[in-house]
mmCIF file of all heavy atoms in Angstrom:
data_model
loop_
_atom_site.group_PDB
_atom_site.id
_atom_site.type_symbol
_atom_site.label_atom_id
_atom_site.label_comp_id
_atom_site.label_asym_id
_atom_site.label_seq_id
_atom_site.Cartn_x
_atom_site.Cartn_y
_atom_site.Cartn_z
ATOM 1 N N MET A 388 -10.415 -14.955 12.034
ATOM 2 C CA MET A 388 -11.022 -16.203 11.564
ATOM 3 C C MET A 388 -10.838 -16.371 10.060
ATOM 4 O O MET A 388 -10.601 -17.478 9.570
ATOM 5 C CB MET A 388 -12.499 -16.246 11.943
ATOM 6 C CG MET A 388 -12.705 -16.376 13.441
ATOM 7 S SD MET A 388 -14.434 -16.397 13.902
ATOM 8 C CE MET A 388 -14.966 -17.920 13.149
ATOM 9 N N ARG A 389 -10.940 -15.287 9.328
ATOM 10 C CA ARG A 389 -10.763 -15.350 7.874
ATOM 11 C C ARG A 389 -9.335 -15.758 7.520
ATOM 12 O O ARG A 389 -9.110 -16.568 6.625
ATOM 13 C CB ARG A 389 -11.126 -14.002 7.264
ATOM 14 C CG ARG A 389 -10.919 -13.881 5.800
ATOM 15 C CD ARG A 389 -11.924 -14.728 5.014
ATOM 16 N NE ARG A 389 -11.549 -14.798 3.613
ATOM 17 C CZ ARG A 389 -11.876 -13.900 2.697
ATOM 18 N NH1 ARG A 389 -12.629 -12.871 3.029
ATOM 19 N NH2 ARG A 389 -11.475 -14.037 1.459
ATOM 20 N N VAL A 390 -8.351 -15.201 8.219
ATOM 21 C CA VAL A 390 -6.948 -15.558 7.968
ATOM 22 C C VAL A 390 -6.735 -17.051 8.235
ATOM 23 O O VAL A 390 -6.129 -17.749 7.426
ATOM 24 C CB VAL A 390 -5.988 -14.698 8.824
ATOM 25 C CG1 VAL A 390 -4.569 -15.249 8.785
ATOM 26 C CG2 VAL A 390 -6.009 -13.247 8.355
ATOM 27 N N ILE A 391 -7.252 -17.535 9.347
ATOM 28 C CA ILE A 391 -7.101 -18.957 9.679
ATOM 29 C C ILE A 391 -7.814 -19.811 8.639
ATOM 30 O O ILE A 391 -7.288 -20.836 8.191
ATOM 31 C CB ILE A 391 -7.610 -19.249 11.103
ATOM 32 C CG1 ILE A 391 -6.776 -18.497 12.142
ATOM 33 C CG2 ILE A 391 -7.589 -20.757 11.383
ATOM 34 C CD1 ILE A 391 -7.378 -18.487 13.536
ATOM 35 N N ASN A 392 -8.983 -19.390 8.229
ATOM 36 C CA ASN A 392 -9.726 -20.130 7.205
ATOM 37 C C ASN A 392 -8.937 -20.197 5.894
ATOM 38 O O ASN A 392 -8.842 -21.249 5.273
ATOM 39 C CB ASN A 392 -11.084 -19.470 6.964
ATOM 40 C CG ASN A 392 -11.937 -20.256 6.003
ATOM 41 O OD1 ASN A 392 -12.442 -21.322 6.335
ATOM 42 N ND2 ASN A 392 -12.101 -19.738 4.790
ATOM 43 N N ASP A 393 -8.364 -19.064 5.495
ATOM 44 C CA ASP A 393 -7.650 -18.992 4.227
ATOM 45 C C ASP A 393 -6.322 -19.741 4.240
ATOM 46 O O ASP A 393 -5.900 -20.264 3.216
ATOM 47 C CB ASP A 393 -7.374 -17.535 3.836
ATOM 48 C CG ASP A 393 -8.625 -16.765 3.466
ATOM 49 O OD1 ASP A 393 -9.708 -17.382 3.341
ATOM 50 O OD2 ASP A 393 -8.524 -15.531 3.312
ATOM 51 N N HIS A 394 -5.652 -19.769 5.396
ATOM 52 C CA HIS A 394 -4.298 -20.321 5.471
ATOM 53 C C HIS A 394 -4.197 -21.632 6.242
ATOM 54 O O HIS A 394 -3.105 -22.195 6.337
ATOM 55 C CB HIS A 394 -3.343 -19.281 6.066
ATOM 56 C CG HIS A 394 -3.201 -18.078 5.193
ATOM 57 N ND1 HIS A 394 -2.296 -18.006 4.172
ATOM 58 C CD2 HIS A 394 -3.896 -16.913 5.153
ATOM 59 C CE1 HIS A 394 -2.417 -16.856 3.549
ATOM 60 N NE2 HIS A 394 -3.397 -16.168 4.127
ATOM 61 N N GLY A 395 -5.295 -22.092 6.795
ATOM 62 C CA GLY A 395 -5.258 -23.319 7.576
ATOM 63 C C GLY A 395 -4.620 -23.076 8.926
ATOM 64 O O GLY A 395 -4.324 -21.930 9.296
ATOM 65 N N PRO A 396 -4.399 -24.139 9.684
ATOM 66 C CA PRO A 396 -3.796 -23.969 11.010
ATOM 67 C C PRO A 396 -2.491 -23.185 10.905
ATOM 68 O O PRO A 396 -1.631 -23.487 10.081
ATOM 69 C CB PRO A 396 -3.541 -25.407 11.469
ATOM 70 C CG PRO A 396 -4.564 -26.214 10.725
ATOM 71 C CD PRO A 396 -4.691 -25.537 9.387
ATOM 72 N N THR A 397 -2.385 -22.169 11.713
ATOM 73 C CA THR A 397 -1.209 -21.300 11.670
ATOM 74 C C THR A 397 -0.936 -20.743 13.064
ATOM 75 O O THR A 397 -1.774 -20.853 13.957
ATOM 76 C CB THR A 397 -1.414 -20.173 10.623
ATOM 77 O OG1 THR A 397 -0.183 -19.485 10.440
ATOM 78 C CG2 THR A 397 -2.493 -19.205 11.030
ATOM 79 N N ASP A 398 0.226 -20.146 13.222
ATOM 80 C CA ASP A 398 0.558 -19.602 14.540
ATOM 81 C C ASP A 398 0.070 -18.156 14.657
ATOM 82 O O ASP A 398 -0.225 -17.497 13.665
ATOM 83 C CB ASP A 398 2.058 -19.704 14.825
ATOM 84 C CG ASP A 398 2.909 -18.908 13.863
ATOM 85 O OD1 ASP A 398 2.855 -17.662 13.928
ATOM 86 O OD2 ASP A 398 3.625 -19.527 13.052
ATOM 87 N N ALA A 399 -0.002 -17.704 15.882
ATOM 88 C CA ALA A 399 -0.564 -16.386 16.171
ATOM 89 C C ALA A 399 0.230 -15.259 15.519
ATOM 90 O O ALA A 399 -0.355 -14.265 15.088
ATOM 91 C CB ALA A 399 -0.650 -16.180 17.681
ATOM 92 N N SER A 400 1.534 -15.405 15.423
ATOM 93 C CA SER A 400 2.352 -14.356 14.803
ATOM 94 C C SER A 400 1.994 -14.171 13.337
ATOM 95 O O SER A 400 1.896 -13.047 12.844
ATOM 96 C CB SER A 400 3.844 -14.692 14.913
ATOM 97 O OG SER A 400 4.244 -14.654 16.248
ATOM 98 N N ARG A 401 1.781 -15.269 12.663
ATOM 99 C CA ARG A 401 1.419 -15.176 11.240
ATOM 100 C C ARG A 401 0.010 -14.589 11.076
ATOM 101 O O ARG A 401 -0.246 -13.814 10.161
ATOM 102 C CB ARG A 401 1.518 -16.542 10.584
ATOM 103 C CG ARG A 401 1.219 -16.469 9.117
ATOM 104 C CD ARG A 401 1.762 -17.636 8.360
ATOM 105 N NE ARG A 401 1.000 -17.667 7.127
ATOM 106 C CZ ARG A 401 1.492 -17.628 5.924
ATOM 107 N NH1 ARG A 401 2.736 -17.618 5.778
ATOM 108 N NH2 ARG A 401 0.749 -17.634 4.859
ATOM 109 N N VAL A 402 -0.889 -14.961 11.969
ATOM 110 C CA VAL A 402 -2.245 -14.385 11.940
ATOM 111 C C VAL A 402 -2.153 -12.871 12.099
ATOM 112 O O VAL A 402 -2.812 -12.121 11.368
ATOM 113 C CB VAL A 402 -3.150 -14.999 13.034
ATOM 114 C CG1 VAL A 402 -4.460 -14.240 13.142
ATOM 115 C CG2 VAL A 402 -3.400 -16.474 12.760
ATOM 116 N N ALA A 403 -1.309 -12.421 13.036
ATOM 117 C CA ALA A 403 -1.143 -10.983 13.269
ATOM 118 C C ALA A 403 -0.584 -10.300 12.027
ATOM 119 O O ALA A 403 -1.074 -9.237 11.618
ATOM 120 C CB ALA A 403 -0.227 -10.748 14.467
ATOM 121 N N GLU A 404 0.416 -10.908 11.415
ATOM 122 C CA GLU A 404 1.055 -10.313 10.235
ATOM 123 C C GLU A 404 0.074 -10.214 9.057
ATOM 124 O O GLU A 404 -0.094 -9.150 8.474
ATOM 125 C CB GLU A 404 2.256 -11.174 9.826
ATOM 126 C CG GLU A 404 2.970 -10.697 8.585
ATOM 127 C CD GLU A 404 4.041 -11.683 8.148
ATOM 128 O OE1 GLU A 404 4.602 -12.399 9.000
ATOM 129 O OE2 GLU A 404 4.306 -11.734 6.936
ATOM 130 N N ILE A 405 -0.574 -11.298 8.735
ATOM 131 C CA ILE A 405 -1.480 -11.317 7.593
ATOM 132 C C ILE A 405 -2.718 -10.461 7.869
ATOM 133 O O ILE A 405 -3.191 -9.731 6.995
ATOM 134 C CB ILE A 405 -1.888 -12.757 7.232
ATOM 135 C CG1 ILE A 405 -0.668 -13.545 6.764
ATOM 136 C CG2 ILE A 405 -2.974 -12.763 6.162
ATOM 137 C CD1 ILE A 405 -0.901 -15.038 6.661
ATOM 138 N N GLY A 406 -3.241 -10.544 9.088
ATOM 139 C CA GLY A 406 -4.450 -9.808 9.446
ATOM 140 C C GLY A 406 -4.213 -8.367 9.813
ATOM 141 O O GLY A 406 -5.148 -7.636 10.121
ATOM 142 N N GLN A 407 -2.936 -7.952 9.800
ATOM 143 C CA GLN A 407 -2.558 -6.587 10.121
ATOM 144 C C GLN A 407 -3.104 -6.158 11.480
ATOM 145 O O GLN A 407 -3.769 -5.128 11.628
ATOM 146 C CB GLN A 407 -2.990 -5.631 9.012
ATOM 147 C CG GLN A 407 -2.341 -5.970 7.701
ATOM 148 C CD GLN A 407 -2.762 -5.063 6.571
ATOM 149 O OE1 GLN A 407 -3.482 -4.099 6.768
ATOM 150 N NE2 GLN A 407 -2.295 -5.361 5.379
ATOM 151 N N LEU A 408 -2.796 -6.992 12.461
ATOM 152 C CA LEU A 408 -3.206 -6.744 13.839
ATOM 153 C C LEU A 408 -1.981 -6.844 14.741
ATOM 154 O O LEU A 408 -1.003 -7.537 14.412
ATOM 155 C CB LEU A 408 -4.252 -7.772 14.282
ATOM 156 C CG LEU A 408 -5.588 -7.721 13.564
ATOM 157 C CD1 LEU A 408 -6.322 -9.041 13.701
ATOM 158 C CD2 LEU A 408 -6.424 -6.581 14.115
ATOM 159 N N HIS A 409 -2.028 -6.199 15.879
ATOM 160 C CA HIS A 409 -0.946 -6.302 16.857
ATOM 161 C C HIS A 409 -0.986 -7.680 17.509
ATOM 162 O O HIS A 409 -2.068 -8.219 17.778
ATOM 163 C CB HIS A 409 -1.067 -5.215 17.924
ATOM 164 C CG HIS A 409 -0.927 -3.830 17.377
ATOM 165 N ND1 HIS A 409 0.263 -3.321 16.919
ATOM 166 C CD2 HIS A 409 -1.845 -2.847 17.192
ATOM 167 C CE1 HIS A 409 0.084 -2.090 16.492
ATOM 168 N NE2 HIS A 409 -1.195 -1.781 16.635
ATOM 169 N N LYS A 410 0.187 -8.245 17.783
ATOM 170 C CA LYS A 410 0.265 -9.590 18.368
ATOM 171 C C LYS A 410 -0.508 -9.709 19.688
ATOM 172 O O LYS A 410 -1.223 -10.692 19.870
ATOM 173 C CB LYS A 410 1.723 -10.011 18.544
ATOM 174 C CG LYS A 410 2.400 -10.312 17.227
ATOM 175 C CD LYS A 410 3.856 -10.712 17.423
ATOM 176 C CE LYS A 410 4.524 -10.860 16.066
ATOM 177 N NZ LYS A 410 5.947 -11.210 16.201
ATOM 178 N N PRO A 411 -0.399 -8.731 20.609
ATOM 179 C CA PRO A 411 -1.182 -8.854 21.846
ATOM 180 C C PRO A 411 -2.698 -8.882 21.570
ATOM 181 O O PRO A 411 -3.442 -9.587 22.260
ATOM 182 C CB PRO A 411 -0.797 -7.622 22.656
ATOM 183 C CG PRO A 411 0.550 -7.225 22.131
ATOM 184 C CD PRO A 411 0.520 -7.581 20.670
ATOM 185 N N SER A 412 -3.139 -8.142 20.557
ATOM 186 C CA SER A 412 -4.564 -8.161 20.200
ATOM 187 C C SER A 412 -4.966 -9.529 19.682
ATOM 188 O O SER A 412 -6.034 -10.041 20.022
ATOM 189 C CB SER A 412 -4.868 -7.103 19.134
ATOM 190 O OG SER A 412 -4.639 -5.821 19.630
ATOM 191 N N VAL A 413 -4.113 -10.133 18.870
ATOM 192 C CA VAL A 413 -4.413 -11.466 18.333
ATOM 193 C C VAL A 413 -4.484 -12.481 19.467
ATOM 194 O O VAL A 413 -5.382 -13.328 19.486
ATOM 195 C CB VAL A 413 -3.382 -11.883 17.260
ATOM 196 C CG1 VAL A 413 -3.529 -13.355 16.885
ATOM 197 C CG2 VAL A 413 -3.528 -11.010 16.029
ATOM 198 N N THR A 414 -3.589 -12.384 20.418
ATOM 199 C CA THR A 414 -3.611 -13.294 21.570
ATOM 200 C C THR A 414 -4.944 -13.187 22.312
ATOM 201 O O THR A 414 -5.575 -14.200 22.631
ATOM 202 C CB THR A 414 -2.439 -12.976 22.524
ATOM 203 O OG1 THR A 414 -1.209 -13.144 21.805
ATOM 204 C CG2 THR A 414 -2.456 -13.877 23.744
ATOM 205 N N ARG A 415 -5.380 -11.968 22.558
ATOM 206 C CA ARG A 415 -6.664 -11.742 23.241
ATOM 207 C C ARG A 415 -7.829 -12.265 22.402
ATOM 208 O O ARG A 415 -8.721 -12.946 22.906
ATOM 209 C CB ARG A 415 -6.840 -10.251 23.546
ATOM 210 C CG ARG A 415 -8.156 -9.890 24.209
ATOM 211 C CD ARG A 415 -8.335 -8.387 24.378
ATOM 212 N NE ARG A 415 -8.010 -7.584 23.214
ATOM 213 C CZ ARG A 415 -8.803 -7.440 22.138
ATOM 214 N NH1 ARG A 415 -9.956 -8.068 22.078
ATOM 215 N NH2 ARG A 415 -8.423 -6.679 21.134
ATOM 216 N N ILE A 416 -7.816 -11.950 21.118
ATOM 217 C CA ILE A 416 -8.889 -12.385 20.213
ATOM 218 C C ILE A 416 -8.963 -13.905 20.163
ATOM 219 O O ILE A 416 -10.059 -14.481 20.210
ATOM 220 C CB ILE A 416 -8.684 -11.784 18.808
ATOM 221 C CG1 ILE A 416 -8.941 -10.275 18.844
ATOM 222 C CG2 ILE A 416 -9.563 -12.475 17.781
ATOM 223 C CD1 ILE A 416 -8.459 -9.539 17.602
ATOM 224 N N LEU A 417 -7.821 -14.563 20.087
ATOM 225 C CA LEU A 417 -7.819 -16.027 20.034
ATOM 226 C C LEU A 417 -8.398 -16.630 21.312
ATOM 227 O O LEU A 417 -9.131 -17.621 21.252
ATOM 228 C CB LEU A 417 -6.408 -16.552 19.768
ATOM 229 C CG LEU A 417 -5.877 -16.300 18.358
ATOM 230 C CD1 LEU A 417 -4.404 -16.684 18.259
ATOM 231 C CD2 LEU A 417 -6.708 -17.053 17.321
ATOM 232 N N LYS A 418 -8.098 -16.019 22.449
ATOM 233 C CA LYS A 418 -8.679 -16.498 23.711
ATOM 234 C C LYS A 418 -10.195 -16.372 23.684
ATOM 235 O O LYS A 418 -10.918 -17.280 24.109
ATOM 236 C CB LYS A 418 -8.102 -15.736 24.908
ATOM 237 C CG LYS A 418 -6.692 -16.127 25.261
ATOM 238 C CD LYS A 418 -6.165 -15.308 26.426
ATOM 239 C CE LYS A 418 -4.717 -15.648 26.696
ATOM 240 N NZ LYS A 418 -4.130 -14.820 27.753
ATOM 241 N N GLU A 419 -10.675 -15.231 23.183
ATOM 242 C CA GLU A 419 -12.130 -15.010 23.091
ATOM 243 C C GLU A 419 -12.780 -16.017 22.138
ATOM 244 O O GLU A 419 -13.834 -16.586 22.446
ATOM 245 C CB GLU A 419 -12.414 -13.590 22.611
ATOM 246 C CG GLU A 419 -12.021 -12.513 23.601
ATOM 247 C CD GLU A 419 -11.980 -11.112 22.992
ATOM 248 O OE1 GLU A 419 -12.193 -10.966 21.771
ATOM 249 O OE2 GLU A 419 -11.727 -10.156 23.755
ATOM 250 N N LEU A 420 -12.154 -16.232 20.994
ATOM 251 C CA LEU A 420 -12.706 -17.166 20.010
ATOM 252 C C LEU A 420 -12.633 -18.608 20.500
ATOM 253 O O LEU A 420 -13.535 -19.402 20.235
ATOM 254 C CB LEU A 420 -11.974 -17.016 18.663
ATOM 255 C CG LEU A 420 -12.165 -15.678 17.956
ATOM 256 C CD1 LEU A 420 -11.282 -15.612 16.712
ATOM 257 C CD2 LEU A 420 -13.629 -15.445 17.597
ATOM 258 N N GLU A 421 -11.587 -18.923 21.234
ATOM 259 C CA GLU A 421 -11.458 -20.270 21.797
ATOM 260 C C GLU A 421 -12.540 -20.506 22.852
ATOM 261 O O GLU A 421 -13.144 -21.582 22.899
ATOM 262 C CB GLU A 421 -10.065 -20.447 22.406
ATOM 263 C CG GLU A 421 -9.742 -21.874 22.775
ATOM 264 C CD GLU A 421 -8.298 -22.063 23.207
ATOM 265 O OE1 GLU A 421 -7.662 -21.091 23.690
ATOM 266 O OE2 GLU A 421 -7.810 -23.196 23.071
ATOM 267 N N ALA A 422 -12.829 -19.498 23.665
ATOM 268 C CA ALA A 422 -13.876 -19.621 24.681
ATOM 269 C C ALA A 422 -15.244 -19.846 24.045
ATOM 270 O O ALA A 422 -16.116 -20.477 24.646
ATOM 271 C CB ALA A 422 -13.905 -18.365 25.563
#
Side-chain angles (χ1 to χ4, degrees):
M388 291 179 65
R389 176 70 191 274
V390 168
I391 297 168
N392 185 72
D393 291 351
H394 296 274
T397 190
D398 62 69
S400 293
R401 183 160 160 124
V402 171
E404 178 187 331
I405 295 168
Q407 299 179 5
L408 295 159
H409 297 289
K410 289 179 186 178
S412 296
V413 169
T414 300
R415 178 185 46 78
I416 290 167
L417 289 172
K418 286 178 184 176
E419 293 166 356
L420 294 174
E421 191 173 26

